[in-house]
Amino acid sequence: MPAAGVHQVWISLTVATDVLPLLVNACSQGCVDALPEPPAHYVPTPHRGGPSVAQPPAGHL
């Protein structure tokens, strides 16, 4: 994939007993749209990061 064609987004997914932040290098917006939903109490959609990402409130567990 050429660098200009990569759609990079962050998602949070459960791996075993942990939730991990994962950087996805998708080939299209359709692939980004097909990513699984993150667990409850995490950023609910794929995102590019930065100060505009609304984090869930602390103490939610």
Side-chain angles (χ1 to χ4, degrees):
M1 268 189 297
V6 175
H7 296 257
Q8 286 190 324
V9 294
W10 288 98
I11 59 172
S12 298
L13 291 180
T14 303
V15 177
T17 59
D18 299 316
V19 177
L20 302 177
L22 301 173
L23 180 61
V24 175
N25 289 313
C27 62
S28 68
Q29 184 60 45
C31 288
V32 172
D33 294 340
L35 291 170
E37 284 190 33
H41 309 296
Y42 287 84
V43 177
T45 58
H47 59 87
R48 293 184 177 262
S52 64
V53 176
Q55 297 293 327
H60 62 276
L61 296 176

